[in-house]
């Protein structure tokens, strides 16, 4: 049986999900998978889930996380895992009020103008979601989204950009239902600092949050730049309605979208060349990335983008100040460039989560 790993990187921490069998599809959360979450990197808020606040330079298994994880997520000082039973575990810096943690002072707490946070160094079950079967988890830098196997989306956390989709810009300490897509279900759920997005089973894309750079792709002859601003509820992206969307990835104020034919569309901020369109101007409406056809997986970092095509080739563009493009230098690119890999294979390429990451 083939083994593999998926990985998620944010800030200076890395989560590794090591499988004893092939990775599951995003919709098959009820299937059993033997997997263990490993962590490595910075750990100032317990974001490695090791029960301590000590960093590590080698991968270490989460000692309090013997659950069957099918997905692992890292975002800033927060981490989460989705289990094969559709449950969510959380660790790191939290605003959540539904985590059962000791009140003996063993957990660090912080007070800020927006909220009171607490550090949770061990994987802890989200009790308020216990009665639901969770199919997708999306972790932003300061907010968390989950969708159930029935297509219901809940949101929690910071909301200054309208990224929770609650209709306002008020923070939420607990989860609040924001959408019911039970008629078509949710097949992909993603977040960034300023935005959130959901892809439905009928191929439609919904987004919400900030639109300063036109990253929501709403500019059209009808609306023009009038679409700029904050969208506080899930909004159908009409400019892509002729395409059957299967996946979306969100960077810092830019968006990359994949359709069922392997076409990639990019929109929004582009000052690092992260859209891969050969220039550095913002793009306020979905624009085809014709350079790389037959794409099967997409991922955005803070200011760079990674594409995987059907042949297993990886293409990158955007910021490269820390060498995150893997091209052997620190020069940024504004067109997609093929990455040359060493011959040894260390991970499966069946899961797009292995492409996620940003170090700059």
């Amino acid at each position: 049986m083939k083994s593999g790993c998926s990985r998620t990187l944010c800030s200076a921490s890395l989560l590794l999900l090591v499988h004893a069998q092939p990775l599951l599809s995003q919709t098959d959360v009820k299937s059993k998978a033997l997997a263990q979450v490993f962590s490595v990197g910075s750990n100032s808020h317990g974001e490695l889930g090791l029960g301590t606040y000590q960093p590590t330079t080698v991968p270490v298994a989460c000692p309090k996380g013997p659950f069957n994880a099918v997905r692992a997520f890292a975002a800033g000082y927060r981490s989460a895992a989705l289990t094969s039973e559709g449950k969510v575990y959380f660790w790191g810096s939290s605003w959540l009020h539904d985590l059962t943690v000791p009140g003996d002072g063993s957990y660090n707490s912080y007070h800020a103008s927006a909220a009171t946070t607490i550090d949770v160094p061990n994987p802890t079950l989200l009790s308020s979601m216990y009665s639901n079967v969770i199919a997708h988890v999306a972790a932003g830098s300061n907010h968390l989204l989950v969708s159930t196997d029935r297509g219901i989306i809940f949101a929690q956390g910071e909301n200054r950009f309208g990224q929770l989709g609650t209709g306002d810009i008020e923070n939420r300490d607990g989860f609040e239902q924001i959408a019911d897509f039970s008629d078509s279900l949710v097949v992909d759920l993603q977040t960034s600092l300023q935005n959130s997005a959901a892809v439905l089973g009928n191929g439609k894309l919904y987004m919400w949050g900030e639109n300063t750079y036109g990253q929501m792709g709403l500019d059209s002859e009808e609306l023009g730049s009038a679409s700029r601003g904050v969208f506080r509820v899930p909004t159908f992206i009409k400019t892509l309605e002729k395409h059957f969307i299967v996946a979306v990835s969100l960077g810092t104020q830019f968006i990359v979208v994949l359709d069922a034919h392997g076409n990639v569309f990019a929109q929004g901020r582009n000052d690092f060349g992260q859209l891969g369109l050969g220039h550095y101007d913002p793009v306020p409406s979905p624009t085809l990335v014709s350079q790389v056809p037959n794409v099967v997986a997409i991922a955005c970092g803070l200011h760079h983008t990674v594409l995987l095509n059907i042949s297993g080739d990886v293409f990158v563009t955007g910021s490269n100040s820390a060498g995150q493009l893997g091209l052997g230098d620190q020069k940024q690119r504004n067109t997609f460039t093929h990455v040359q890999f060493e011959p040894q294979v260390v991970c499966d390429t069946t899961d797009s989560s292995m492409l996620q990451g940003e170090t700059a």
Side-chain angles (χ1 to χ4, degrees):
M1 191 171 283
K2 189 160 124 183
S3 65
C5 66
S6 62
R7 48 188 168 174
T8 301
L9 172 66
C10 190
S11 293
S13 299
L14 173 66
L15 296 186
L16 297 168
L17 185 60
V18 179
H19 292 257
Q21 59 187 41
L23 294 167
L24 301 178
S25 68
Q26 293 189 20
T27 55
D28 193 16
V29 298
K30 291 184 179 180
S31 298
K32 300 295 183 182
L34 299 177
Q36 174 68 56
V37 177
F38 287 77
S39 303
V40 64
S42 64
N43 195 29
S44 58
H45 293 267
E47 59 266 38
L48 296 186
L50 304 177
T52 71
Y53 300 97
Q54 297 299 316
T56 176
T57 57
V58 295
V60 178
C62 293
K64 298 297 179 71
F67 41 78
N68 290 330
V70 293
R71 290 291 180 272
F73 309 86
Y77 300 117
R78 299 165 171 84
S79 303
L82 175 63
T83 77
S84 58
E85 292 81 20
K87 305 306 177 187
V88 178
Y89 284 78
F90 184 95
W91 57 98
S93 180
S94 175
W95 289 4
L96 291 163
H97 282 184
D98 55 359
L99 292 174
T100 303
V101 296
D104 56 7
S106 59
Y107 284 54
N108 298 329
S109 62
Y110 305 88
H111 299 273
S113 57
T116 298
T117 62
I118 186 170
D119 287 344
V120 182
N122 292 309
T124 304
L125 181 68
L126 294 186
S127 56
S128 68
M129 292 287 104
Y130 190 78
S131 61
N132 297 284
V133 176
I134 304 302
H136 300 277
V137 177
S141 294
N142 294 301
H143 71 291
L144 192 66
L145 301 179
V146 298
S147 64
T148 73
D149 62 341
R150 298 185 177 183
I152 310 299
I153 299 178
F154 296 86
Q156 175 276 337
E158 186 183 42
N159 197 29
R160 57 179 165 147
F161 302 108
Q163 65 265 44
L164 294 188
T166 54
D168 54 40
I169 55 172
E170 300 298 320
N171 300 330
R172 298 295 195 281
D173 291 326
F175 281 99
E176 181 173 321
Q177 180 179 327
I178 63 164
D180 183 346
F181 293 120
S182 54
D183 56 339
S184 57
L185 302 183
V186 176
V187 298
D188 195 15
L189 188 67
Q190 299 291 334
T191 65
S192 66
L193 174 63
Q194 302 90 353
N195 293 95
S196 301
V199 178
L200 306 188
N202 58 11
K204 297 185 183 300
L205 172 64
Y206 284 78
M207 290 186 60
W208 52 103
E210 183 201 71
N211 194 35
T212 302
Y213 288 85
Q215 63 261 38
M216 288 180 60
L218 292 170
D219 277 24
S220 61
E221 292 182 7
E222 231 174 281
L223 289 174
S225 61
S227 67
R228 307 301 167 82
V230 174
F231 287 76
R232 302 175 182 179
V233 296
T235 303
F236 174 51
I237 308 303
K238 193 175 180 181
T239 50
L240 284 166
E241 66 179 335
K242 294 182 180 179
H243 303 273
F244 194 99
I245 306 304
V246 296
V248 62
S249 188
L250 284 61
T252 301
Q253 298 170 312
F254 74 100
I255 311 296
V256 175
V257 178
L258 176 66
D259 76 6
H261 298 289
N263 299 310
V264 173
F265 299 88
Q267 58 215 46
R269 185 175 174 179
N270 192 34
D271 50 340
F272 292 90
Q274 56 265 54
L275 300 187
L277 299 173
H279 59 77
Y280 295 98
D281 300 321
V283 177
S285 58
T287 301
L288 177 67
V289 179
S290 57
Q291 184 185 356
V292 187
N294 301 317
V295 173
V296 296
I298 58 177
C300 297
L302 291 181
H303 304 294
H304 75 283
T305 303
V306 185
L307 305 180
L308 175 69
N309 72 8
I310 198 170
S311 301
D313 296 316
V314 175
F315 296 85
V316 294
T317 189
S319 174
N320 195 31
S321 58
Q324 61 265 46
L325 297 187
L327 298 174
D329 57 42
Q330 293 178 291
K331 179 183 176 182
Q332 71 180 29
R333 308 295 200 281
N334 65 9
T335 59
F336 281 97
T337 304
H338 185 213
V339 179
Q340 301 291 334
F341 287 94
E342 295 296 327
Q344 59 265 35
V345 177
V346 295
C347 281
D348 286 333
T349 57
T350 53
D351 180 16
S352 63
S353 66
M354 72 169 286
L355 298 175
Q356 295 178 1
E358 174 67 55
T359 58

